[in-house]
Amino acid sequence: MKSAEENIQYAITAKNLTKTFGDFTAVDHISFNIKQGEIFGFLGANGAGKTTAMRMLCGLSTPSSGEATVAGFDVFTQPESIKKSIGYMSQKFSLYEDLTVMENIRFYAGIYGLSDKDIKEKSAHLLKQLHLDHEKDKLVGSLPLGWKQKLSFSIALIHEPKIVFLDEPTGGVDPLTRREFWEMIYEASQRGTTLFVTTHYMDEAEYCHRVSIMVDGRIAAIGTPTELKKQFAAESMNDVFLQLARQATRQAD
Amino acid sequence: MKSIAVKNLSKSFVNGKETVEAVKPLSFEIDKAELFGFIGPDGAGKTTLLRMLTTLILADTGTATVDGFDVVNDYKEIRKRVGYMPGKFSLYQDLSVQENLEFFATIFQTTVKENYHLIKDIYDQLAPFADRPAGKLSGGMKQKLALCCALIHKPTVLFLDEPTTGVDAVSRKEFWEMLKRLKEQGITILVSTPYMDEASLCDRVALMQDGKFLRIDTPSQIIKNYSKTLLAVKGKEMFPLLQKLKQTEGIEMAYPFGEYHHIVLQKDTISIDHIQSQLQGIQEIEIKSTVPDIEDCFIYAMQNN
Amino acid sequence: MKEQFLAFVKKEWFHIWRDKKTLFILFGLPIVQILIFGFALTNEIKNSRIAIVDQSKDETSQRLIDRIATSRYFDIEEFLKSGDEADAAFKRGKVKLVIIIPENFGSSLKHTNHGAIQVIADASDPNTASTLTSYIQAIAGDFQMDLNQGKKLPYTIVPEVRMLYNPQLKGAYNFVPGVMAMVLMLICTLMTSIAIVKEKETGTMEVLLVSPLKPILVIFAKSTPYLFLSLINITSILLLSVFVLGLPIAGSIFLLVALSLLFTITSLSLGMLISTITDSQQTAMLISLMGLFLPTIMLSGFMFPIENMPLPLKIISNVVPAKWYYFIVKAVMIKGVGLKIIWKEALVLTLMTVGFLGLSIKNYKVRLAIK
């Protein structure tokens, strides 16, 4: 067991984290330590075990064995504390399309326990940043996808969590918005937020401080993009990924 | 005769109180055996366009023909001869691979045997799973099965709506290789995709955004027609570098592009040195000229739309 | 086209067989319903607990009490000492009825030709109370006739009651036709509409449209398996009724099955119609259950007699197909009538079927309806 001090130093720690379903091992003894303020890219093909691993870290699923801490809290014994300290955004889980921008902000801010005064302040700031002040009473469903994603991200950060989990946040979005989104991620990282991102776009892997690639439930590679390209004698992260993916034996579901 | 001919085709939808122009009046033509890509993000209008061409929805304005048949008046003819793979997986989850294939063959009044040669390459990979329920296949396998079912009646035109979305990188590559081989069989193929890198695999592409074509040409021609000077910049601290670049004189656009940032110069006459001189204080700086990618072309076209 | 149709029907069978949960409902439901209604639920009230206050304690009162005791409707729970204890007995919930036989019951009858018994019923459940009271009255009336045997009485009108077709007043006679209507409606309308809409929801309909398949084949092919399922269900219900519940079939079995098939087709076409007006399985289910199933139970005459309903509801009940079918089943199964008598009802069902089918075909969208 790590000392509490060590755990607090790292935003996320994992040691031999494993999840099995019957005799199927979805996540096979993964280990890593993520520092505060790091942008960590969590890559892997569909079915490699990414989603399962993320669920464990978010406190949504109990690991079968191993250890992990998020924001200093133990994933086995303190999942509720974890949930309170993190932000989460996913392409699939989104905002309520039939509520307005403002209503969505108020709702989620309320869920995270922000006071009315805080909500007022933060929402004004948020809307200004995203240039959505004139759209605040518009139904989210009527916004273009790119704006929805950016709004969703901002809302995930509204309670200023130390760690944010982003699950394929830029899927299907136009190239400009994608980049604007990553600029928002950068800014959050500058402010000290740790970002744990999964993505299909290999060029986005380059924007991360460090990257891990999961294959068949195990971490097949972990390091900075530069280190990995050197290690695999590859021109781009895409090449690194293809090399590793080809070795995969597990069929995605 | 052109495989597909479109004139002034448009479609709007009413969403609550607002009207959305999903497809603004478009005109274009596609040759036989052409591998044509609609590249664009979600909401660009790709699915709506494909649905109009496959006779599933009626356009508000304009006309379109597929194989010479009108999409409105001769829709029955078109439905007999085209293959269609819609966005989400649309086969029967509780039927096996084999059962799905046989079903669609019968619906198209043919047999699996008759056109097996067309799908053999693809089906060989599926054959070991012939009795598995389609719902239990991996994403890549599902797409392959859907492709087989769309091909089993030897269509003259194949419409694929985002066939590689959500599929792993290896399967994506394999999928496009299959499309290339089909093209050689004389089948016209229309594909829509949000992945810019797939654009270079097509004969011609249309870059689509907000219901409009930003560009329509061969990939190499689109890149050739990129009129601005593009530079790649790298530094020790990428994010502060980006912020600095956005404020640097002479730079029209600066955006991240993987390992390097790309910057679009306002004028060709601006030199690399001029830019470098403004970036004092950035450690380990590296600037070089670079050839634009389809994505650079898309971004620039979007910005100036 | 024939191959297309058969391929489609084959596919539908796979869907149905591979969905174990729904399969259980489709086959299990009718059997469960029949058994529940046949044995557990019944309009008859048996073995009701009552209390008796016998203040007379003579031979006549004893004979009356014996009568009541041997009746299957009553169980004498206790003998109270006086009417005052009745209130407490009711409040304790132990009895539903109290009978008070006054003093000198026997001698009053003999000498004054007049005897009264007091019947106090717990009317917090008014239906039960009135039923029990009428049972008592019937028993009393019987008793009276026995006492009067051989005596000469001035013009007495004695109604001779015969319960036709169902002399034992078995509740099953009412429920089996009702269950048949309910089950067929549930399976055919609900399942068919959901099955068709499911294609729209999962996106397979898109692919089917862009094919040479005549769109109309879809809804017919989807309904066909349920037609066969219904035949099996009709058979199992009838077998259960006859052999387990002891309910005979008075009329022609052939006619009964034929008309049941007609009703099946009516329900199927109703299911088809529903599927053409919605794209969501949930909505299809809601419409089938709330919009059809519930009114069917309430307005078909199954649960509540139509004769008792206010006029507007009576009129509406004519639109409910199950009403006509329920009538037909009772007529053929219990009264044993032939086609000559019920041809009108059969015609109504036929017309309804044609109407629903016509509308379904007309409504069927050859393109996607995108909002």
Side-chain angles (χ1 to χ4, degrees):
Chain A
M1 270 307 287
K2 283 201 176 58
S3 72
E5 233 175 50
E6 284 178 307
N7 286 343
I8 289 171
Q9 196 183 46
Y10 288 112
I12 303 177
T13 68
K15 192 163 168 203
N16 289 324
L17 197 61
T18 305
K19 180 77 181 177
T20 55
F21 297 101
D23 40 336
F24 174 64
T25 311
V27 177
D28 194 354
H29 296 87
I30 61 175
S31 306
F32 48 77
N33 294 321
I34 301 174
K35 294 200 269 280
Q36 285 283 2
E38 199 175 346
I39 301 178
F40 191 82
F42 198 60
L43 313 176
N46 294 345
K50 290 199 313 289
T51 312
T52 314
M54 258 184 94
R55 282 226 184 94
M56 288 193 278
L57 294 173
C58 288
L60 292 172
S61 158
T62 316
S64 306
S65 69
E67 302 165 12
T69 67
V70 174
F73 297 112
D74 185 282
V75 300
F76 280 94
T77 56
Q78 300 163 301
E80 295 306 312
S81 303
I82 292 180
K83 284 183 202 157
K84 286 194 203 131
S85 325
I86 62 174
Y88 179 79
M89 187 214 147
S90 142
Q91 196 197 1
K92 292 167 239 154
F93 147 75
S94 213
L95 308 168
Y96 290 102
E97 307 256 318
D98 50 354
L99 293 183
T100 66
V101 171
M102 198 58 216
E103 283 164 355
N104 268 286
I105 296 176
R106 251 193 242 118
F107 173 71
Y108 285 106
I111 286 191
Y112 281 112
L114 264 61
S115 69
D116 280 345
K117 179 164 161 284
D118 277 339
I119 295 180
K120 214 164 163 202
E121 249 179 65
K122 288 196 196 280
S123 55
H125 179 72
L126 201 161
L127 289 170
K128 187 140 173 273
Q129 249 201 331
L130 294 174
H131 305 298
L132 279 176
D133 349 37
H134 297 294
E135 261 75 24
K136 70 175 166 72
D137 292 321
K138 249 188 163 177
L139 291 182
V140 164
S142 66
L143 293 177
L145 180 67
W147 290 29
K148 276 192 236 188
Q149 300 293 69
K150 285 193 277 185
L151 180 59
S152 202
F153 179 63
S154 303
I155 290 182
L157 290 172
I158 203 167
H159 59 299
E160 288 173 26
K162 286 186 267 187
I163 304 171
V164 181
F165 289 90
L166 303 169
D167 191 1
E168 313 256 346
T170 53
V173 157
D174 71 81
L176 262 184
T177 308
R178 223 159 38 88
R179 288 159 170 80
E180 283 166 19
F181 195 88
W182 273 92
E183 287 177 42
M184 288 170 77
I185 293 181
Y186 265 136
E187 276 170 50
S189 164
Q190 300 276 81
R191 291 197 299 269
T193 313
T194 310
L195 295 127
F196 190 94
V197 188
T198 70
T199 177
H200 260 147
Y201 292 100
M202 285 307 128
D203 60 329
E204 290 179 355
E206 301 272 3
Y207 306 151
C208 304
H209 294 127
R210 276 192 313 150
V211 162
S212 77
I213 301 182
M214 269 187 93
V215 177
D216 290 340
R218 269 173 278 111
I219 290 186
I222 183 168
T224 69
T226 318
E227 284 166 9
L228 291 178
K229 278 183 285 191
K230 209 183 271 173
Q231 186 186 343
F232 289 88
E235 290 248 332
S236 66
M237 283 304 297
N238 197 34
D239 283 340
V240 173
F241 187 80
L242 282 175
Q243 279 186 46
L244 285 170
R246 286 226 164 82
Q247 296 164 18
T249 50
R250 187 191 295 179
Q251 289 286 3
D253 210 21
Chain B
M1 181 186 69
K2 296 285 178 181
S3 193
I4 298 183
V6 173
K7 205 155 168 215
N8 257 340
L9 206 65
S10 80
K11 181 78 185 169
S12 300
F13 295 111
V14 180
N15 188 1
K17 288 185 224 144
E18 295 157 26
T19 308
V20 178
E21 272 190 280
V23 174
K24 301 183 173 126
L26 289 176
S27 304
F28 60 93
E29 288 175 340
I30 297 180
D31 291 316
K32 196 154 166 45
E34 195 174 351
L35 178 47
F36 192 94
F38 297 110
I39 321 284
D42 286 0
K46 309 189 296 290
T47 301
T48 310
L49 180 56
L50 278 178
R51 280 188 173 153
M52 285 194 281
L53 294 175
T54 51
T55 76
L56 281 174
I57 57 180
L58 290 173
D60 290 336
T61 69
T63 58
T65 61
V66 175
D67 262 6
F69 293 102
D70 183 81
V71 295
V72 179
N73 300 324
D74 303 319
Y75 72 90
K76 287 191 194 154
E77 275 305 312
I78 296 179
R79 291 182 182 186
K80 284 188 201 156
R81 60 211 311 140
V82 306
Y84 177 51
M85 237 176 95
K88 53 178 177 175
F89 181 64
S90 51
L91 300 180
Y92 296 103
Q93 309 258 11
D94 52 348
L95 258 52
S96 75
V97 166
Q98 182 74 17
E99 285 163 356
N100 265 294
L101 200 57
E102 280 170 355
F103 174 72
F104 283 103
T106 316
I107 291 298
F108 278 98
Q109 293 165 316
T110 179
T111 59
V112 176
K113 249 203 222 105
E114 209 173 302
N115 292 312
Y116 192 69
H117 59 281
L118 256 185
I119 61 167
K120 185 166 157 24
D121 284 342
I122 314 167
Y123 195 71
D124 276 345
Q125 300 177 42
L126 286 166
F129 306 104
D131 291 325
R132 188 184 287 197
K136 294 212 155 64
L137 295 172
S138 69
M141 285 287 159
K142 279 184 183 162
Q143 299 301 70
K144 289 181 184 132
L145 177 60
L147 184 58
C148 289
C149 291
L151 286 171
I152 199 62
H153 58 292
K154 199 168 193 307
T156 52
V157 186
L158 196 57
F159 294 93
L160 310 170
D161 194 357
E162 298 209 13
T164 53
T165 299
V167 163
D168 65 274
V170 178
S171 296
R172 275 210 283 139
K173 255 183 138 234
E174 288 174 350
F175 194 87
W176 278 88
E177 280 155 28
M178 289 189 276
L179 291 184
K180 281 231 163 78
R181 287 197 291 268
L182 287 171
K183 183 186 119 75
E184 286 154 27
Q185 302 267 357
I187 302 178
T188 310
I189 307 177
L190 264 81
V191 188
S192 76
T193 174
Y195 295 113
M196 303 274 144
D197 57 322
E198 291 180 353
S200 50
L201 305 170
C202 304
D203 292 335
R204 274 195 310 152
V205 295
L207 302 184
M208 212 172 164
Q209 165 82 342
D210 285 337
K212 287 212 301 260
F213 284 172
L214 300 173
R215 301 273 188 275
I216 173 170
D217 215 326
T218 66
S220 51
Q221 200 57 37
I222 292 180
I223 292 175
K224 238 186 241 156
N225 288 341
Y226 189 79
S227 54
K228 310 294 282 192
T229 309
L230 193 71
L231 299 177
V233 185
K234 191 170 151 165
K236 186 155 188 251
E237 307 267 324
M238 288 301 268
F239 186 53
L241 173 59
L242 184 65
Q243 288 170 314
K244 192 97 203 275
L245 287 170
K246 286 191 191 231
Q247 289 158 348
T248 303
E249 195 223 325
I251 293 185
E252 190 177 326
M253 282 179 83
Y255 47 87
F257 208 91
E259 199 183 338
Y260 290 82
H261 292 323
H262 279 193
I263 54 176
V264 180
L265 298 179
Q266 276 168 343
K267 290 201 281 274
D268 304 356
T269 48
I270 298 173
S271 67
I272 292 185
D273 289 330
H274 178 78
I275 301 291
Q276 184 135 21
S277 64
Q278 294 180 68
L279 297 172
Q280 305 294 355
I282 307 280
Q283 295 175 319
E284 296 171 27
I285 196 138
E286 186 194 326
I287 308 185
K288 57 182 189 184
S289 72
T290 181
V291 178
D293 185 86
I294 285 277
E295 199 162 2
D296 291 298
C297 301
F298 196 104
I299 291 175
Y300 191 69
M302 266 187 76
Q303 189 76 336
N304 293 330
N305 186 14
Chain C
M1 194 165 91
K2 194 180 82 162
E3 289 87 16
Q4 290 175 319
F5 182 75
L6 288 175
F8 213 106
V9 174
K10 185 168 150 193
K11 171 181 91 73
E12 286 314 303
W13 270 117
F14 285 145
H15 287 321
I16 294 176
W17 278 113
R18 289 174 189 176
D19 186 358
K20 299 292 175 215
K21 285 178 259 175
T22 314
L23 206 56
F24 174 72
I25 295 179
L26 290 175
F27 283 118
L29 185 72
I31 299 175
V32 168
Q33 295 272 18
I34 289 283
L35 293 177
I36 288 182
F37 277 113
F39 289 115
L41 302 178
T42 166
N43 276 355
E44 291 172 358
I45 308 173
K46 293 191 211 151
N47 302 103
S48 293
R49 290 183 298 192
I50 63 169
I52 300 193
V53 181
D54 185 3
Q55 295 173 327
S56 184
K57 292 200 174 58
D58 60 24
E59 199 201 316
T60 322
S61 70
Q62 193 56 52
R63 274 170 69 190
L64 178 59
I65 292 172
D66 283 344
R67 265 286 163 101
I68 296 174
T70 53
S71 144
R72 72 175 189 271
Y73 295 120
F74 299 111
D75 276 346
I76 302 182
E77 172 81 7
E78 55 184 335
F79 286 91
L80 302 172
K81 294 208 194 70
S82 77
D84 299 331
E85 290 181 15
D87 201 27
F90 281 128
K91 285 223 174 93
R92 281 201 304 274
K94 296 191 87 181
V95 294
K96 294 221 161 65
L97 193 90
V98 172
I99 300 176
I100 304 182
I101 304 176
E103 292 174 343
N104 304 318
F105 181 59
S107 39
S108 299
L109 266 181
K110 223 188 264 183
H111 297 125
T112 66
N113 275 341
H114 185 79
I117 56 174
Q118 195 178 32
V119 178
I120 309 177
D122 180 357
S124 53
D125 177 2
N127 284 338
T128 309
S130 54
T131 308
L132 289 180
T133 325
S134 59
Y135 287 159
I136 292 287
Q137 284 177 321
I139 292 178
D142 257 358
F143 185 60
Q144 186 176 268
M145 288 217 288
D146 277 354
L147 289 179
N148 286 338
Q149 265 175 18
K151 293 203 188 114
K152 258 179 95 179
L153 286 162
Y155 304 102
T156 349
I157 299 173
V158 179
E160 211 180 272
V161 178
R162 273 176 65 204
M163 296 298 191
L164 280 181
Y165 312 118
N166 186 3
Q168 289 172 41
L169 291 178
K170 277 196 189 163
Y173 282 61
N174 187 39
F175 284 108
V176 170
V179 169
M180 281 178 81
M182 227 165 66
V183 161
L184 288 178
M185 213 168 173
L186 190 66
I187 291 178
C188 298
T189 311
L190 180 66
M191 292 283 140
T192 305
S193 65
I194 289 183
I196 298 175
V197 171
K198 191 165 174 198
E199 299 259 4
K200 286 197 246 184
E201 227 178 56
T202 56
T204 48
M205 187 64 96
E206 263 191 81
V207 184
L208 290 178
L209 283 175
V210 187
S211 80
L213 186 69
K214 275 200 172 44
I216 226 48
L217 275 184
V218 174
I219 56 180
F220 280 102
K222 285 232 165 235
S223 314
T224 307
Y226 294 106
L227 187 65
F228 285 110
L229 273 175
S230 300
L231 194 55
I232 297 177
N233 274 324
I234 293 171
T235 314
S236 65
I237 292 177
L238 289 176
L239 285 173
L240 276 175
S241 311
V242 172
F243 294 111
V244 177
L245 296 181
L247 185 70
I249 299 179
S252 149
I253 296 181
F254 177 72
L255 186 63
L256 186 59
V257 173
L259 290 173
S260 298
L261 276 177
L262 172 61
F263 179 64
T264 303
I265 299 177
T266 313
S267 303
L268 285 175
S269 50
L270 193 50
M272 286 187 215
L273 183 57
I274 294 175
S275 77
T276 62
I277 54 181
T278 173
D279 281 347
S280 126
Q281 285 183 77
Q282 218 176 27
T283 313
M285 196 161 70
L286 272 175
I287 297 180
S288 298
L289 287 177
M290 297 276 112
L292 291 168
F293 193 59
L294 229 50
T296 295
I297 296 189
M298 301 211 271
L299 296 177
S300 63
F302 170 37
M303 288 278 176
F304 311 108
I306 298 182
E307 297 78 25
N308 288 356
M309 294 180 195
L311 187 59
L313 282 181
K314 266 197 214 166
I315 297 175
I316 294 177
S317 79
N318 286 325
V319 177
V320 179
K323 172 209 154 130
W324 303 97
Y325 178 62
Y326 179 64
F327 184 87
I328 288 176
V329 174
K330 282 209 295 188
V332 175
M333 197 165 161
I334 298 170
K335 295 192 208 167
V337 306
L339 193 55
K340 262 187 247 167
I341 309 285
I342 46 157
W343 67 271
K344 272 182 254 124
E345 285 76 13
L347 184 62
V348 170
L349 276 184
T350 314
L351 287 174
M352 280 185 173
T353 309
V354 171
F356 293 145
L357 274 178
L359 270 176
S360 307
I361 295 174
K362 183 164 158 292
N363 263 357
Y364 198 83
K365 297 212 173 40
V366 184
R367 291 193 166 81
L368 292 180
I370 311 283
K371 274 133 278 172

